[in-house]
Amino acid sequence: MDTRLRNMASIDSDVTGNPYDITKDLPSLQFENGLSDLERDYMCLRSRSHALTVSVCAQATYFIAILNEARKCILEAKTPNVSKTSKFLQEAPPRDPTKVGVIGCGRLGLHLTNCLLTYANVDPEDIKVSTRKPETLSSLKEKGVRCCNDNASVASSVDVLFFCVLPSQLPTVAKDIADHLKDHTIIYSFLSAIPIKRLQQLLHSVNIIQPEITWQAKNADASWNVTQDVNLALENQQQVEVTCPLSSFKQEAIVETNEKWFELILYAFVNVCKQLQVEREKAVNIVNIVVLGQSPSRKYLSKFVTDDFTKRQDMWPVFNLGAVAANPTPVTSTITNNVELRQMMHKKYKNNFDKFVYWKGIKQIKAKDNGNDT
């Protein structure tokens, strides 16, 4: 089937502005039409691949979003706003964004970068991409993203580094960057085939997050729109819902992420707070505000306390993310047993994407109203 016909499915839209597959009622034009009986048995891999990409992009985007929100809270506490008589005289608020690096920008890296720009409050100048063929990334360059073929330069200048390379490319990439990583840099790996211990050896770092994802074979035939761009798929509340490791509907998902992922990002979160010289009590308060969505002016019965992260009273350590991934932690029992906390974390996860859809709708209404006025 002509590739242009398949692409048209993501261009046309219904009256609500949502894309739909124009080949839905035209069997002869559908992707499946050209497959043999043997090939049809592997059709489930198509939805699996798309669902996997949507899930890992959503989770990584949420992680960067909460880090940016935390840095904003910390900065505002250090530099409170000074009222001025005229809003025209107000300076732009100071920024302390999370610097993000992406190594490898094929299909996954490109989707991830676009999701970060859309949903994680990341400006183009805050992302650096290293790929073997930067000349192919004109769409990112037009947005202002720096694209290069320099793994060491990217690794040495970011706070979070995403690995979007093939397992076979890891030894070369590791050799390029191992001596250039900052001590606080968080490595976020999508290389599920490579054990974390092996990554630690190659990169000389224990600051590694790697989601553990399983395929739900019983849901192989579950409905999943594979025609949507990943960035657009995250506007779908149902698809966002099943990407959350704490979702009550995750058993219905095509792919499922282990809840341990939430522990890893929580410990990485407090490590960032420590790196920014935030005291332990304040750091946990920021966790409650950013991760649970709690208001600082209210009191809550269910919230995180310092003992949920460590029983040590003498100091606030830098947590070894490799040890967190391999062992039960105080956070394990808290997340497992406190239903209200789980619900708050789940709600805040979804809200990160819902708020974008809300503001997009507001902009569309304003644009429509302005069009009517003219």
Short mmCIF file of all heavy atoms in Angstrom, two decimals, residues 87-109:
data_model
loop_
_atom_site.label_atom_id
_atom_site.label_comp_id
_atom_site.label_asym_id
_atom_site.label_seq_id
_atom_site.Cartn_x
_atom_site.Cartn_y
_atom_site.Cartn_z
N LYS A 87 2.98 46.08 35.60
CA LYS A 87 3.36 44.78 35.09
C LYS A 87 4.33 44.89 33.92
O LYS A 87 5.07 43.96 33.63
CB LYS A 87 2.12 43.99 34.67
CG LYS A 87 1.37 44.59 33.50
CD LYS A 87 0.18 43.72 33.13
CE LYS A 87 -0.59 44.30 31.94
NZ LYS A 87 -1.75 43.45 31.59
N PHE A 88 4.34 46.08 33.28
CA PHE A 88 5.25 46.27 32.16
C PHE A 88 6.70 46.39 32.62
O PHE A 88 7.63 46.26 31.83
CB PHE A 88 4.85 47.52 31.37
CG PHE A 88 3.49 47.39 30.74
CD1 PHE A 88 2.40 48.09 31.25
CD2 PHE A 88 3.28 46.57 29.65
CE1 PHE A 88 1.15 47.98 30.68
CE2 PHE A 88 2.03 46.45 29.07
CZ PHE A 88 0.96 47.16 29.60
N LEU A 89 6.88 46.67 33.92
CA LEU A 89 8.23 46.82 34.45
C LEU A 89 8.76 45.53 35.04
O LEU A 89 9.92 45.45 35.42
CB LEU A 89 8.25 47.91 35.54
CG LEU A 89 7.87 49.33 35.08
CD1 LEU A 89 7.90 50.28 36.26
CD2 LEU A 89 8.82 49.82 33.99
N GLN A 90 7.92 44.53 35.15
CA GLN A 90 8.35 43.28 35.76
C GLN A 90 9.31 42.54 34.82
O GLN A 90 9.09 42.44 33.62
CB GLN A 90 7.14 42.39 36.05
CG GLN A 90 6.26 42.92 37.18
CD GLN A 90 5.13 41.97 37.49
OE1 GLN A 90 5.04 40.91 36.89
NE2 GLN A 90 4.26 42.36 38.42
N GLU A 91 10.36 42.03 35.44
CA GLU A 91 11.32 41.25 34.67
C GLU A 91 10.81 39.82 34.49
O GLU A 91 9.95 39.36 35.24
CB GLU A 91 12.67 41.23 35.41
CG GLU A 91 13.29 42.60 35.59
CD GLU A 91 14.59 42.53 36.38
OE1 GLU A 91 14.92 41.42 36.83
OE2 GLU A 91 15.24 43.56 36.55
N ALA A 92 11.32 39.17 33.49
CA ALA A 92 10.95 37.77 33.29
C ALA A 92 11.40 36.95 34.50
O ALA A 92 12.48 37.19 35.04
CB ALA A 92 11.62 37.24 32.03
N PRO A 93 10.56 36.03 34.98
CA PRO A 93 10.95 35.24 36.16
C PRO A 93 12.20 34.43 35.90
O PRO A 93 12.42 33.95 34.78
CB PRO A 93 9.73 34.33 36.38
CG PRO A 93 9.05 34.27 35.05
CD PRO A 93 9.28 35.60 34.42
N PRO A 94 13.06 34.29 36.90
CA PRO A 94 14.29 33.50 36.71
C PRO A 94 13.95 32.04 36.45
O PRO A 94 12.91 31.54 36.87
CB PRO A 94 15.02 33.67 38.05
CG PRO A 94 13.95 34.01 39.04
CD PRO A 94 12.93 34.81 38.28
N ARG A 95 14.82 31.37 35.73
CA ARG A 95 14.60 29.97 35.39
C ARG A 95 15.81 29.13 35.82
O ARG A 95 16.94 29.59 35.76
CB ARG A 95 14.38 29.78 33.89
CG ARG A 95 13.15 30.46 33.34
CD ARG A 95 13.02 30.23 31.83
NE ARG A 95 12.75 28.83 31.50
CZ ARG A 95 13.58 28.02 30.88
NH1 ARG A 95 14.78 28.45 30.50
NH2 ARG A 95 13.24 26.78 30.60
N ASP A 96 15.52 27.94 36.26
CA ASP A 96 16.57 26.96 36.56
C ASP A 96 16.12 25.61 36.03
O ASP A 96 15.79 24.70 36.78
CB ASP A 96 16.82 26.89 38.08
CG ASP A 96 17.94 25.92 38.41
OD1 ASP A 96 18.83 25.71 37.55
OD2 ASP A 96 17.93 25.35 39.53
N PRO A 97 16.06 25.48 34.71
CA PRO A 97 15.48 24.27 34.11
C PRO A 97 16.39 23.06 34.21
O PRO A 97 17.61 23.18 34.37
CB PRO A 97 15.28 24.68 32.65
CG PRO A 97 16.39 25.66 32.41
CD PRO A 97 16.53 26.43 33.70
N THR A 98 15.78 21.90 34.12
CA THR A 98 16.53 20.66 34.01
C THR A 98 17.14 20.59 32.61
O THR A 98 16.44 20.70 31.61
CB THR A 98 15.60 19.44 34.21
OG1 THR A 98 14.97 19.54 35.49
CG2 THR A 98 16.38 18.14 34.12
N LYS A 99 18.44 20.45 32.55
CA LYS A 99 19.12 20.30 31.26
C LYS A 99 19.05 18.84 30.83
O LYS A 99 19.45 17.95 31.56
CB LYS A 99 20.58 20.75 31.37
CG LYS A 99 20.75 22.22 31.75
CD LYS A 99 20.18 23.15 30.69
CE LYS A 99 20.43 24.61 31.02
NZ LYS A 99 19.86 25.53 30.00
N VAL A 100 18.52 18.63 29.64
CA VAL A 100 18.23 17.27 29.17
C VAL A 100 19.10 16.93 27.97
O VAL A 100 19.25 17.73 27.04
CB VAL A 100 16.75 17.15 28.78
CG1 VAL A 100 16.45 15.74 28.26
CG2 VAL A 100 15.84 17.47 29.97
N GLY A 101 19.64 15.72 27.98
CA GLY A 101 20.40 15.22 26.85
C GLY A 101 19.76 13.95 26.31
O GLY A 101 19.24 13.14 27.08
N VAL A 102 19.79 13.78 25.00
CA VAL A 102 19.26 12.57 24.36
C VAL A 102 20.36 12.03 23.45
O VAL A 102 20.81 12.72 22.54
CB VAL A 102 17.99 12.87 23.53
CG1 VAL A 102 17.51 11.60 22.84
CG2 VAL A 102 16.90 13.46 24.41
N ILE A 103 20.79 10.81 23.73
CA ILE A 103 21.79 10.17 22.88
C ILE A 103 21.09 9.11 22.04
O ILE A 103 20.52 8.15 22.57
CB ILE A 103 22.93 9.56 23.70
CG1 ILE A 103 23.75 10.67 24.37
CG2 ILE A 103 23.83 8.70 22.82
CD1 ILE A 103 24.97 10.17 25.09
N GLY A 104 21.12 9.32 20.74
CA GLY A 104 20.39 8.47 19.82
C GLY A 104 19.06 9.11 19.49
O GLY A 104 18.24 9.32 20.37
N CYS A 105 18.87 9.45 18.24
CA CYS A 105 17.62 10.12 17.88
C CYS A 105 17.01 9.48 16.64
O CYS A 105 16.75 10.13 15.64
CB CYS A 105 17.83 11.61 17.67
SG CYS A 105 16.32 12.59 17.91
N GLY A 106 16.78 8.18 16.79
CA GLY A 106 16.01 7.48 15.77
C GLY A 106 14.54 7.65 16.08
O GLY A 106 14.10 8.71 16.52
N ARG A 107 13.78 6.59 15.90
CA ARG A 107 12.33 6.68 16.12
C ARG A 107 12.01 7.05 17.57
O ARG A 107 11.24 7.98 17.83
CB ARG A 107 11.69 5.34 15.76
CG ARG A 107 10.19 5.28 16.02
CD ARG A 107 9.62 3.97 15.50
NE ARG A 107 8.22 3.80 15.83
CZ ARG A 107 7.78 3.25 16.94
NH1 ARG A 107 8.64 2.78 17.83
NH2 ARG A 107 6.49 3.13 17.19
N LEU A 108 12.60 6.35 18.54
CA LEU A 108 12.30 6.59 19.95
C LEU A 108 12.81 7.96 20.40
O LEU A 108 12.08 8.72 21.05
CB LEU A 108 12.92 5.49 20.83
CG LEU A 108 12.78 5.68 22.34
CD1 LEU A 108 11.31 5.78 22.74
CD2 LEU A 108 13.46 4.52 23.08
N GLY A 109 14.04 8.28 20.06
CA GLY A 109 14.62 9.55 20.48
C GLY A 109 13.85 10.74 19.95
O GLY A 109 13.66 11.75 20.66
#
